[in-house]
Structures are given as C-alpha cells and as structure tokens.
PDB file of all heavy atoms in Angstrom:
ATOM      1  N   VAL I 149    -195.766 -26.546-169.191  1.00 96.00           N
ATOM      2  CA  VAL I 149    -194.433 -26.383-168.598  1.00 96.00           C
ATOM      3  C   VAL I 149    -193.362 -26.895-169.555  1.00 96.00           C
ATOM      4  O   VAL I 149    -192.346 -26.235-169.793  1.00 96.00           O
ATOM      5  CB  VAL I 149    -194.348 -27.102-167.234  1.00 96.00           C
ATOM      6  CG1 VAL I 149    -192.902 -27.221-166.761  1.00 96.00           C
ATOM      7  CG2 VAL I 149    -195.198 -26.390-166.192  1.00 96.00           C
ATOM      8  N   LEU I 150    -193.590 -28.064-170.142  1.00 96.00           N
ATOM      9  CA  LEU I 150    -192.609 -28.625-171.069  1.00 96.00           C
ATOM     10  C   LEU I 150    -192.464 -27.758-172.316  1.00 96.00           C
ATOM     11  O   LEU I 150    -191.350 -27.550-172.813  1.00 96.00           O
ATOM     12  CB  LEU I 150    -192.987 -30.056-171.459  1.00 96.00           C
ATOM     13  CG  LEU I 150    -193.013 -31.085-170.335  1.00 96.00           C
ATOM     14  CD1 LEU I 150    -193.280 -32.471-170.888  1.00 96.00           C
ATOM     15  CD2 LEU I 150    -191.741 -31.065-169.523  1.00 96.00           C
ATOM     16  N   THR I 151    -193.562 -27.230-172.807  1.00 95.00           N
ATOM     17  CA  THR I 151    -193.515 -26.342-173.971  1.00 95.00           C
ATOM     18  C   THR I 151    -192.727 -25.084-173.644  1.00 95.00           C
ATOM     19  O   THR I 151    -191.900 -24.626-174.439  1.00 95.00           O
ATOM     20  CB  THR I 151    -194.940 -25.989-174.445  1.00 95.00           C
ATOM     21  OG1 THR I 151    -195.633 -27.194-174.753  1.00 95.00           O
ATOM     22  CG2 THR I 151    -194.911 -25.076-175.650  1.00 95.00           C
ATOM     23  N   GLU I 152    -192.986 -24.525-172.465  1.00 96.00           N
ATOM     24  CA  GLU I 152    -192.268 -23.317-172.042  1.00 96.00           C
ATOM     25  C   GLU I 152    -190.762 -23.591-171.942  1.00 96.00           C
ATOM     26  O   GLU I 152    -189.952 -22.787-172.391  1.00 96.00           O
ATOM     27  CB  GLU I 152    -192.805 -22.832-170.694  1.00 96.00           C
ATOM     28  CG  GLU I 152    -192.196 -21.527-170.234  1.00 96.00           C
ATOM     29  CD  GLU I 152    -192.800 -21.039-168.924  1.00 96.00           C
ATOM     30  OE1 GLU I 152    -194.003 -21.270-168.681  1.00 96.00           O
ATOM     31  OE2 GLU I 152    -192.041 -20.434-168.139  1.00 96.00           O
ATOM     32  N   LEU I 153    -190.379 -24.713-171.370  1.00 95.00           N
ATOM     33  CA  LEU I 153    -188.960 -25.053-171.259  1.00 95.00           C
ATOM     34  C   LEU I 153    -188.340 -25.274-172.639  1.00 95.00           C
ATOM     35  O   LEU I 153    -187.200 -24.887-172.884  1.00 95.00           O
ATOM     36  CB  LEU I 153    -188.776 -26.305-170.396  1.00 95.00           C
ATOM     37  CG  LEU I 153    -188.983 -26.121-168.905  1.00 95.00           C
ATOM     38  CD1 LEU I 153    -189.014 -27.474-168.202  1.00 95.00           C
ATOM     39  CD2 LEU I 153    -187.898 -25.235-168.312  1.00 95.00           C
ATOM     40  N   ASP I 154    -189.092 -25.881-173.534  1.00 94.00           N
ATOM     41  CA  ASP I 154    -188.588 -26.144-174.875  1.00 94.00           C
ATOM     42  C   ASP I 154    -188.376 -24.858-175.670  1.00 94.00           C
ATOM     43  O   ASP I 154    -187.474 -24.788-176.507  1.00 94.00           O
ATOM     44  CB  ASP I 154    -189.563 -27.072-175.622  1.00 94.00           C
ATOM     45  CG  ASP I 154    -188.949 -27.651-176.870  1.00 94.00           C
ATOM     46  OD1 ASP I 154    -187.843 -28.227-176.775  1.00 94.00           O
ATOM     47  OD2 ASP I 154    -189.578 -27.543-177.945  1.00 94.00           O
ATOM     48  N   GLU I 155    -189.187 -23.857-175.407  1.00 95.00           N
ATOM     49  CA  GLU I 155    -189.086 -22.593-176.136  1.00 95.00           C
ATOM     50  C   GLU I 155    -188.031 -21.649-175.567  1.00 95.00           C
ATOM     51  O   GLU I 155    -187.716 -20.642-176.183  1.00 95.00           O
ATOM     52  CB  GLU I 155    -190.449 -21.906-176.166  1.00 95.00           C
ATOM     53  CG  GLU I 155    -191.463 -22.666-177.012  1.00 95.00           C
ATOM     54  CD  GLU I 155    -192.870 -22.100-176.919  1.00 95.00           C
ATOM     55  OE1 GLU I 155    -193.137 -21.240-176.032  1.00 95.00           O
ATOM     56  OE2 GLU I 155    -193.718 -22.539-177.725  1.00 95.00           O
ATOM     57  N   ARG I 156    -187.490 -21.983-174.413  1.00 93.00           N
ATOM     58  CA  ARG I 156    -186.462 -21.137-173.815  1.00 93.00           C
ATOM     59  C   ARG I 156    -185.158 -21.249-174.594  1.00 93.00           C
ATOM     60  O   ARG I 156    -184.866 -22.269-175.205  1.00 93.00           O
ATOM     61  CB  ARG I 156    -186.216 -21.520-172.357  1.00 93.00           C
ATOM     62  CG  ARG I 156    -187.375 -21.139-171.468  1.00 93.00           C
ATOM     63  CD  ARG I 156    -187.071 -21.400-170.029  1.00 93.00           C
ATOM     64  NE  ARG I 156    -188.179 -20.897-169.215  1.00 93.00           N
ATOM     65  CZ  ARG I 156    -188.133 -20.763-167.911  1.00 93.00           C
ATOM     66  NH1 ARG I 156    -187.054 -21.114-167.238  1.00 93.00           N
ATOM     67  NH2 ARG I 156    -189.183 -20.285-167.254  1.00 93.00           N
ATOM     68  N   THR I 157    -184.380 -20.171-174.531  1.00 92.00           N
ATOM     69  CA  THR I 157    -183.068 -20.183-175.178  1.00 92.00           C
ATOM     70  C   THR I 157    -182.047 -20.822-174.238  1.00 92.00           C
ATOM     71  O   THR I 157    -182.320 -21.016-173.050  1.00 92.00           O
ATOM     72  CB  THR I 157    -182.621 -18.755-175.536  1.00 92.00           C
ATOM     73  OG1 THR I 157    -182.552 -17.983-174.336  1.00 92.00           O
ATOM     74  CG2 THR I 157    -183.595 -18.110-176.517  1.00 92.00           C
ATOM     75  N   GLU I 158    -180.898 -21.139-174.772  1.00 90.00           N
ATOM     76  CA  GLU I 158    -179.878 -21.852-174.005  1.00 90.00           C
ATOM     77  C   GLU I 158    -179.433 -21.112-172.746  1.00 90.00           C
ATOM     78  O   GLU I 158    -179.040 -21.740-171.769  1.00 90.00           O
ATOM     79  CB  GLU I 158    -178.666 -22.143-174.886  1.00 90.00           C
ATOM     80  CG  GLU I 158    -178.942 -23.195-175.916  1.00 90.00           C
ATOM     81  CD  GLU I 158    -177.720 -23.545-176.731  1.00 90.00           C
ATOM     82  OE1 GLU I 158    -176.595 -23.402-176.216  1.00 90.00           O
ATOM     83  OE2 GLU I 158    -177.902 -23.958-177.882  1.00 90.00           O
ATOM     84  N   ASP I 159    -179.500 -19.804-172.758  1.00 91.00           N
ATOM     85  CA  ASP I 159    -179.030 -19.039-171.601  1.00 91.00           C
ATOM     86  C   ASP I 159    -180.114 -18.855-170.530  1.00 91.00           C
ATOM     87  O   ASP I 159    -179.848 -18.330-169.463  1.00 91.00           O
ATOM     88  CB  ASP I 159    -178.482 -17.677-172.044  1.00 91.00           C
ATOM     89  CG  ASP I 159    -179.502 -16.826-172.792  1.00 91.00           C
ATOM     90  OD1 ASP I 159    -180.388 -17.406-173.452  1.00 91.00           O
ATOM     91  OD2 ASP I 159    -179.399 -15.586-172.721  1.00 91.00           O
ATOM     92  N   GLN I 160    -181.325 -19.303-170.792  1.00 93.00           N
ATOM     93  CA  GLN I 160    -182.403 -19.167-169.820  1.00 93.00           C
ATOM     94  C   GLN I 160    -182.448 -20.366-168.883  1.00 93.00           C
ATOM     95  O   GLN I 160    -182.154 -21.502-169.272  1.00 93.00           O
ATOM     96  CB  GLN I 160    -183.752 -19.004-170.523  1.00 93.00           C
ATOM     97  CG  GLN I 160    -183.901 -17.666-171.223  1.00 93.00           C
ATOM     98  CD  GLN I 160    -185.252 -17.559-171.895  1.00 93.00           C
ATOM     99  OE1 GLN I 160    -185.600 -18.398-172.730  1.00 93.00           O
ATOM    100  NE2 GLN I 160    -186.012 -16.522-171.530  1.00 93.00           N
ATOM    101  N   THR I 161    -182.842 -20.119-167.644  1.00 92.00           N
ATOM    102  CA  THR I 161    -182.926 -21.154-166.624  1.00 92.00           C
ATOM    103  C   THR I 161    -183.889 -22.260-167.053  1.00 92.00           C
ATOM    104  O   THR I 161    -184.981 -21.988-167.533  1.00 92.00           O
ATOM    105  CB  THR I 161    -183.434 -20.550-165.297  1.00 92.00           C
ATOM    106  OG1 THR I 161    -182.580 -19.475-164.930  1.00 92.00           O
ATOM    107  CG2 THR I 161    -183.467 -21.584-164.202  1.00 92.00           C
ATOM    108  N   GLY I 162    -183.454 -23.482-166.867  1.00 93.00           N
ATOM    109  CA  GLY I 162    -184.289 -24.636-167.135  1.00 93.00           C
ATOM    110  C   GLY I 162    -184.098 -25.263-168.496  1.00 93.00           C
ATOM    111  O   GLY I 162    -184.431 -26.429-168.697  1.00 93.00           O
ATOM    112  N   HIS I 163    -183.572 -24.511-169.448  1.00 93.00           N
ATOM    113  CA  HIS I 163    -183.406 -25.059-170.793  1.00 93.00           C
ATOM    114  C   HIS I 163    -182.422 -26.229-170.799  1.00 93.00           C
ATOM    115  O   HIS I 163    -182.678 -27.248-171.446  1.00 93.00           O
ATOM    116  CB  HIS I 163    -182.944 -23.983-171.780  1.00 93.00           C
ATOM    117  CG  HIS I 163    -182.740 -24.514-173.165  1.00 93.00           C
ATOM    118  ND1 HIS I 163    -183.783 -24.780-174.006  1.00 93.00           N
ATOM    119  CD2 HIS I 163    -181.615 -24.859-173.836  1.00 93.00           C
ATOM    120  CE1 HIS I 163    -183.319 -25.255-175.146  1.00 93.00           C
ATOM    121  NE2 HIS I 163    -182.004 -25.309-175.068  1.00 93.00           N
ATOM    122  N   ALA I 164    -181.342 -26.125-170.066  1.00 93.00           N
ATOM    123  CA  ALA I 164    -180.299 -27.173-170.066  1.00 93.00           C
ATOM    124  C   ALA I 164    -180.825 -28.485-169.484  1.00 93.00           C
ATOM    125  O   ALA I 164    -180.604 -29.558-170.055  1.00 93.00           O
ATOM    126  CB  ALA I 164    -179.069 -26.701-169.298  1.00 93.00           C
ATOM    127  N   ILE I 165    -181.533 -28.420-168.361  1.00 95.00           N
ATOM    128  CA  ILE I 165    -182.044 -29.655-167.755  1.00 95.00           C
ATOM    129  C   ILE I 165    -183.120 -30.264-168.643  1.00 95.00           C
ATOM    130  O   ILE I 165    -183.196 -31.493-168.790  1.00 95.00           O
ATOM    131  CB  ILE I 165    -182.555 -29.434-166.306  1.00 95.00           C
ATOM    132  CG1 ILE I 165    -182.941 -30.775-165.651  1.00 95.00           C
ATOM    133  CG2 ILE I 165    -183.727 -28.496-166.265  1.00 95.00           C
ATOM    134  CD1 ILE I 165    -181.826 -31.714-165.424  1.00 95.00           C
ATOM    135  N   TRP I 166    -183.960 -29.433-169.237  1.00 95.00           N
ATOM    136  CA  TRP I 166    -184.985 -29.937-170.145  1.00 95.00           C
ATOM    137  C   TRP I 166    -184.339 -30.652-171.331  1.00 95.00           C
ATOM    138  O   TRP I 166    -184.725 -31.748-171.702  1.00 95.00           O
ATOM    139  CB  TRP I 166    -185.885 -28.808-170.626  1.00 95.00           C
ATOM    140  CG  TRP I 166    -186.630 -29.139-171.880  1.00 95.00           C
ATOM    141  CD1 TRP I 166    -186.484 -28.564-173.103  1.00 95.00           C
ATOM    142  CD2 TRP I 166    -187.639 -30.158-172.046  1.00 95.00           C
ATOM    143  NE1 TRP I 166    -187.331 -29.150-174.008  1.00 95.00           N
ATOM    144  CE2 TRP I 166    -188.044 -30.137-173.382  1.00 95.00           C
ATOM    145  CE3 TRP I 166    -188.216 -31.078-171.199  1.00 95.00           C
ATOM    146  CZ2 TRP I 166    -189.008 -30.994-173.897  1.00 95.00           C
ATOM    147  CZ3 TRP I 166    -189.180 -31.945-171.699  1.00 95.00           C
ATOM    148  CH2 TRP I 166    -189.566 -31.890-173.032  1.00 95.00           C
ATOM    149  N   ARG I 167    -183.347 -30.019-171.912  1.00 95.00           N
ATOM    150  CA  ARG I 167    -182.667 -30.605-173.072  1.00 95.00           C
ATOM    151  C   ARG I 167    -181.986 -31.928-172.697  1.00 95.00           C
ATOM    152  O   ARG I 167    -182.076 -32.901-173.431  1.00 95.00           O
ATOM    153  CB  ARG I 167    -181.656 -29.604-173.611  1.00 95.00           C
ATOM    154  CG  ARG I 167    -180.987 -30.036-174.860  1.00 95.00           C
ATOM    155  CD  ARG I 167    -180.156 -28.925-175.424  1.00 95.00           C
ATOM    156  NE  ARG I 167    -179.254 -29.493-176.406  1.00 95.00           N
ATOM    157  CZ  ARG I 167    -178.209 -28.897-176.855  1.00 95.00           C
ATOM    158  NH1 ARG I 167    -177.899 -27.685-176.432  1.00 95.00           N
ATOM    159  NH2 ARG I 167    -177.444 -29.464-177.761  1.00 95.00           N
ATOM    160  N   GLN I 168    -181.323 -31.949-171.549  1.00 95.00           N
ATOM    161  CA  GLN I 168    -180.642 -33.163-171.100  1.00 95.00           C
ATOM    162  C   GLN I 168    -181.640 -34.292-170.855  1.00 95.00           C
ATOM    163  O   GLN I 168    -181.432 -35.423-171.295  1.00 95.00           O
ATOM    164  CB  GLN I 168    -179.836 -32.877-169.830  1.00 95.00           C
ATOM    165  CG  GLN I 168    -179.051 -34.062-169.335  1.00 95.00           C
ATOM    166  CD  GLN I 168    -178.262 -33.735-168.070  1.00 95.00           C
ATOM    167  OE1 GLN I 168    -178.630 -32.844-167.299  1.00 95.00           O
ATOM    168  NE2 GLN I 168    -177.189 -34.465-167.861  1.00 95.00           N
ATOM    169  N   LEU I 169    -182.716 -33.995-170.178  1.00 96.00           N
ATOM    170  CA  LEU I 169    -183.729 -35.009-169.882  1.00 96.00           C
ATOM    171  C   LEU I 169    -184.394 -35.512-171.166  1.00 96.00           C
ATOM    172  O   LEU I 169    -184.627 -36.709-171.337  1.00 96.00           O
ATOM    173  CB  LEU I 169    -184.773 -34.440-168.916  1.00 96.00           C
ATOM    174  CG  LEU I 169    -185.790 -35.405-168.328  1.00 96.00           C
ATOM    175  CD1 LEU I 169    -185.112 -36.587-167.648  1.00 96.00           C
ATOM    176  CD2 LEU I 169    -186.680 -34.677-167.334  1.00 96.00           C
ATOM    177  N   ARG I 170    -184.663 -34.608-172.078  1.00 95.00           N
ATOM    178  CA  ARG I 170    -185.268 -34.996-173.360  1.00 95.00           C
ATOM    179  C   ARG I 170    -184.319 -35.885-174.166  1.00 95.00           C
ATOM    180  O   ARG I 170    -184.734 -36.920-174.706  1.00 95.00           O
ATOM    181  CB  ARG I 170    -185.631 -33.751-174.161  1.00 95.00           C
ATOM    182  CG  ARG I 170    -186.367 -34.067-175.461  1.00 95.00           C
ATOM    183  CD  ARG I 170    -186.634 -32.840-176.259  1.00 95.00           C
ATOM    184  NE  ARG I 170    -185.344 -32.307-176.682  1.00 95.00           N
ATOM    185  CZ  ARG I 170    -185.131 -31.064-177.073  1.00 95.00           C
ATOM    186  NH1 ARG I 170    -186.118 -30.197-177.053  1.00 95.00           N
ATOM    187  NH2 ARG I 170    -183.951 -30.664-177.450  1.00 95.00           N
ATOM    188  N   GLU I 171    -183.033 -35.532-174.218  1.00 95.00           N
ATOM    189  CA  GLU I 171    -182.065 -36.318-174.983  1.00 95.00           C
ATOM    190  C   GLU I 171    -181.845 -37.707-174.374  1.00 95.00           C
ATOM    191  O   GLU I 171    -181.762 -38.698-175.105  1.00 95.00           O
ATOM    192  CB  GLU I 171    -180.742 -35.567-175.095  1.00 95.00           C
ATOM    193  CG  GLU I 171    -180.827 -34.379-176.032  1.00 95.00           C
ATOM    194  CD  GLU I 171    -179.577 -33.514-176.028  1.00 95.00           C
ATOM    195  OE1 GLU I 171    -178.613 -33.835-175.290  1.00 95.00           O
ATOM    196  OE2 GLU I 171    -179.556 -32.521-176.770  1.00 95.00           O
ATOM    197  N   ILE I 172    -181.774 -37.785-173.058  1.00 95.00           N
ATOM    198  CA  ILE I 172    -181.610 -39.090-172.404  1.00 95.00           C
ATOM    199  C   ILE I 172    -182.849 -39.950-172.654  1.00 95.00           C
ATOM    200  O   ILE I 172    -182.749 -41.150-172.888  1.00 95.00           O
ATOM    201  CB  ILE I 172    -181.354 -38.941-170.890  1.00 95.00           C
ATOM    202  CG1 ILE I 172    -180.004 -38.295-170.640  1.00 95.00           C
ATOM    203  CG2 ILE I 172    -181.417 -40.281-170.185  1.00 95.00           C
ATOM    204  CD1 ILE I 172    -179.759 -37.951-169.171  1.00 95.00           C
ATOM    205  N   THR I 173    -184.017 -39.339-172.610  1.00 95.00           N
ATOM    206  CA  THR I 173    -185.263 -40.068-172.854  1.00 95.00           C
ATOM    207  C   THR I 173    -185.297 -40.619-174.279  1.00 95.00           C
ATOM    208  O   THR I 173    -185.608 -41.798-174.491  1.00 95.00           O
ATOM    209  CB  THR I 173    -186.486 -39.156-172.619  1.00 95.00           C
ATOM    210  OG1 THR I 173    -186.486 -38.734-171.257  1.00 95.00           O
ATOM    211  CG2 THR I 173    -187.783 -39.862-172.949  1.00 95.00           C
ATOM    212  N   ILE I 174    -184.986 -39.793-175.237  1.00 93.00           N
ATOM    213  CA  ILE I 174    -185.018 -40.218-176.638  1.00 93.00           C
ATOM    214  C   ILE I 174    -183.982 -41.318-176.886  1.00 93.00           C
ATOM    215  O   ILE I 174    -184.286 -42.344-177.504  1.00 93.00           O
ATOM    216  CB  ILE I 174    -184.809 -39.014-177.576  1.00 93.00           C
ATOM    217  CG1 ILE I 174    -186.030 -38.082-177.491  1.00 93.00           C
ATOM    218  CG2 ILE I 174    -184.562 -39.460-179.014  1.00 93.00           C
ATOM    219  CD1 ILE I 174    -185.840 -36.734-178.154  1.00 93.00           C
ATOM    220  N   PHE I 175    -182.771 -41.129-176.389  1.00 93.00           N
ATOM    221  CA  PHE I 175    -181.731 -42.141-176.577  1.00 93.00           C
ATOM    222  C   PHE I 175    -182.113 -43.444-175.877  1.00 93.00           C
ATOM    223  O   PHE I 175    -181.983 -44.527-176.448  1.00 93.00           O
ATOM    224  CB  PHE I 175    -180.375 -41.638-176.061  1.00 93.00           C
ATOM    225  CG  PHE I 175    -179.261 -42.590-176.345  1.00 93.00           C
ATOM    226  CD1 PHE I 175    -178.658 -42.616-177.589  1.00 93.00           C
ATOM    227  CD2 PHE I 175    -178.828 -43.481-175.376  1.00 93.00           C
ATOM    228  CE1 PHE I 175    -177.636 -43.510-177.867  1.00 93.00           C
ATOM    229  CE2 PHE I 175    -177.807 -44.382-175.638  1.00 93.00           C
ATOM    230  CZ  PHE I 175    -177.207 -44.399-176.886  1.00 93.00           C
ATOM    231  N   GLY I 176    -182.611 -43.320-174.646  1.00 93.00           N
ATOM    232  CA  GLY I 176    -183.018 -44.501-173.901  1.00 93.00           C
ATOM    233  C   GLY I 176    -184.133 -45.260-174.592  1.00 93.00           C
ATOM    234  O   GLY I 176    -184.151 -46.490-174.608  1.00 93.00           O
ATOM    235  N   PHE I 177    -185.069 -44.529-175.184  1.00 92.00           N
ATOM    236  CA  PHE I 177    -186.180 -45.188-175.872  1.00 92.00           C
ATOM    237  C   PHE I 177    -185.706 -45.891-177.135  1.00 92.00           C
ATOM    238  O   PHE I 177    -185.997 -47.065-177.353  1.00 92.00           O
ATOM    239  CB  PHE I 177    -187.282 -44.181-176.223  1.00 92.00           C
ATOM    240  CG  PHE I 177    -188.417 -44.806-176.987  1.00 92.00           C
ATOM    241  CD1 PHE I 177    -189.355 -45.575-176.334  1.00 92.00           C
ATOM    242  CD2 PHE I 177    -188.518 -44.654-178.360  1.00 92.00           C
ATOM    243  CE1 PHE I 177    -190.400 -46.179-177.029  1.00 92.00           C
ATOM    244  CE2 PHE I 177    -189.552 -45.257-179.059  1.00 92.00           C
ATOM    245  CZ  PHE I 177    -190.490 -46.018-178.390  1.00 92.00           C
ATOM    246  N   TYR I 178    -184.980 -45.172-177.989  1.00 88.00           N
ATOM    247  CA  TYR I 178    -184.609 -45.743-179.278  1.00 88.00           C
ATOM    248  C   TYR I 178    -183.502 -46.789-179.203  1.00 88.00           C
ATOM    249  O   TYR I 178    -183.220 -47.451-180.196  1.00 88.00           O
ATOM    250  CB  TYR I 178    -184.258 -44.644-180.277  1.00 88.00           C
ATOM    251  CG  TYR I 178    -185.522 -43.987-180.774  1.00 88.00           C
ATOM    252  CD1 TYR I 178    -185.886 -42.720-180.352  1.00 88.00           C
ATOM    253  CD2 TYR I 178    -186.375 -44.666-181.629  1.00 88.00           C
ATOM    254  CE1 TYR I 178    -187.066 -42.139-180.790  1.00 88.00           C
ATOM    255  CE2 TYR I 178    -187.557 -44.092-182.063  1.00 88.00           C
ATOM    256  CZ  TYR I 178    -187.891 -42.832-181.644  1.00 88.00           C
ATOM    257  OH  TYR I 178    -189.062 -42.271-182.068  1.00 88.00           O
ATOM    258  N   THR I 179    -182.900 -46.969-178.048  1.00 88.00           N
ATOM    259  CA  THR I 179    -181.947 -48.061-177.866  1.00 88.00           C
ATOM    260  C   THR I 179    -182.543 -49.178-177.017  1.00 88.00           C
ATOM    261  O   THR I 179    -181.848 -50.118-176.665  1.00 88.00           O
ATOM    262  CB  THR I 179    -180.638 -47.560-177.223  1.00 88.00           C
ATOM    263  OG1 THR I 179    -180.927 -46.913-175.985  1.00 88.00           O
ATOM    264  CG2 THR I 179    -179.904 -46.615-178.155  1.00 88.00           C
ATOM    265  N   SER I 180    -183.817 -49.067-176.695  1.00 88.00           N
ATOM    266  CA  SER I 180    -184.477 -50.089-175.880  1.00 88.00           C
ATOM    267  C   SER I 180    -184.944 -51.256-176.745  1.00 88.00           C
ATOM    268  O   SER I 180    -185.127 -51.135-177.958  1.00 88.00           O
ATOM    269  CB  SER I 180    -185.678 -49.495-175.149  1.00 88.00           C
ATOM    270  OG  SER I 180    -186.732 -49.255-176.062  1.00 88.00           O
ATOM    271  N   GLU I 181    -185.155 -52.368-176.104  1.00 85.00           N
ATOM    272  CA  GLU I 181    -185.651 -53.555-176.796  1.00 85.00           C
ATOM    273  C   GLU I 181    -187.045 -53.313-177.359  1.00 85.00           C
ATOM    274  O   GLU I 181    -187.367 -53.755-178.464  1.00 85.00           O
ATOM    275  CB  GLU I 181    -185.662 -54.738-175.830  1.00 85.00           C
ATOM    276  CG  GLU I 181    -185.981 -56.049-176.485  1.00 85.00           C
ATOM    277  CD  GLU I 181    -185.877 -57.218-175.522  1.00 85.00           C
ATOM    278  OE1 GLU I 181    -185.103 -57.148-174.555  1.00 85.00           O
ATOM    279  OE2 GLU I 181    -186.590 -58.203-175.755  1.00 85.00           O
ATOM    280  N   GLN I 182    -187.877 -52.589-176.619  1.00 81.00           N
ATOM    281  CA  GLN I 182    -189.236 -52.296-177.080  1.00 81.00           C
ATOM    282  C   GLN I 182    -189.225 -51.554-178.406  1.00 81.00           C
ATOM    283  O   GLN I 182    -189.962 -51.897-179.322  1.00 81.00           O
ATOM    284  CB  GLN I 182    -189.986 -51.451-176.037  1.00 81.00           C
ATOM    285  CG  GLN I 182    -190.363 -52.189-174.798  1.00 81.00           C
ATOM    286  CD  GLN I 182    -191.562 -53.087-175.018  1.00 81.00           C
ATOM    287  OE1 GLN I 182    -192.320 -52.908-175.959  1.00 81.00           O
ATOM    288  NE2 GLN I 182    -191.709 -54.080-174.176  1.00 81.00           N
ATOM    289  N   ALA I 183    -188.385 -50.521-178.510  1.00 81.00           N
ATOM    290  CA  ALA I 183    -188.336 -49.726-179.740  1.00 81.00           C
ATOM    291  C   ALA I 183    -187.780 -50.550-180.890  1.00 81.00           C
ATOM    292  O   ALA I 183    -188.255 -50.443-182.021  1.00 81.00           O
ATOM    293  CB  ALA I 183    -187.492 -48.480-179.529  1.00 81.00           C
ATOM    294  N   MET I 184    -186.781 -51.373-180.614  1.00 77.00           N
ATOM    295  CA  MET I 184    -186.200 -52.192-181.680  1.00 77.00           C
ATOM    296  C   MET I 184    -187.204 -53.207-182.216  1.00 77.00           C
ATOM    297  O   MET I 184    -187.159 -53.562-183.379  1.00 77.00           O
ATOM    298  CB  MET I 184    -184.953 -52.925-181.181  1.00 77.00           C
ATOM    299  CG  MET I 184    -183.757 -52.024-180.966  1.00 77.00           C
ATOM    300  SD  MET I 184    -183.245 -51.273-182.523  1.00 77.00           S
ATOM    301  CE  MET I 184    -183.262 -49.551-182.089  1.00 77.00           C
ATOM    302  N   GLN I 185    -188.131 -53.669-181.377  1.00 73.00           N
ATOM    303  CA  GLN I 185    -189.156 -54.589-181.847  1.00 73.00           C
ATOM    304  C   GLN I 185    -190.188 -53.870-182.711  1.00 73.00           C
ATOM    305  O   GLN I 185    -190.779 -54.463-183.603  1.00 73.00           O
ATOM    306  CB  GLN I 185    -189.847 -55.270-180.668  1.00 73.00           C
ATOM    307  CG  GLN I 185    -188.952 -56.253-179.958  1.00 73.00           C
ATOM    308  CD  GLN I 185    -189.593 -56.812-178.693  1.00 73.00           C
ATOM    309  OE1 GLN I 185    -190.657 -56.399-178.282  1.00 73.00           O
ATOM    310  NE2 GLN I 185    -188.900 -57.757-178.067  1.00 73.00           N
ATOM    311  N   GLU I 186    -190.402 -52.593-182.442  1.00 71.00           N
ATOM    312  CA  GLU I 186    -191.386 -51.823-183.193  1.00 71.00           C
ATOM    313  C   GLU I 186    -190.830 -51.272-184.498  1.00 71.00           C
ATOM    314  O   GLU I 186    -191.566 -51.047-185.446  1.00 71.00           O
ATOM    315  CB  GLU I 186    -191.925 -50.662-182.341  1.00 71.00           C
ATOM    316  CG  GLU I 186    -192.725 -51.116-181.161  1.00 71.00           C
ATOM    317  CD  GLU I 186    -193.964 -51.900-181.552  1.00 71.00           C
ATOM    318  OE1 GLU I 186    -194.623 -51.553-182.548  1.00 71.00           O
ATOM    319  OE2 GLU I 186    -194.268 -52.891-180.868  1.00 71.00           O
TER     320      GLU I 186
END
C-alpha cells in the first residue's frame, strides 16, 4: 500500500496524504532526541 501511494502522481488520490505523513515522520524523527544521539 505504501509503495503504491509513493508511486502515485500528485494529482492521484492519496498521494498528498502519503507525502504529508512521510514528511512529518521524517522531520519528527530527525529532530528528535533519539536521532540526535545516533
């Protein structure tokens, strides 16, 4: 499911929410204390 959403183009349903969730996850991880310790 995640691969399918990632391969969708911007105008296809689900691509925007997938992109938003992925970006928040990446930002949240790399600004976390855990990531900074690693």
Side-chain angles (χ1 to χ4, degrees):
V149 167
L150 297 185
T151 302
E152 185 177 327
L153 287 170
D154 194 52
E155 292 173 349
R156 289 185 175 192
T157 60
E158 289 184 28
D159 58 331
Q160 290 180 303
T161 304
H163 179 77
I165 186 66
W166 160 246
R167 185 172 165 197
Q168 183 180 26
L169 189 54
R170 185 183 66 200
E171 288 173 0
I172 293 173
T173 298
I174 292 169
F175 185 81
F177 177 77
Y178 284 106
T179 56
S180 73
E181 188 176 332
Q182 289 283 340
M184 288 297 126
Q185 290 174 354
E186 294 298 321

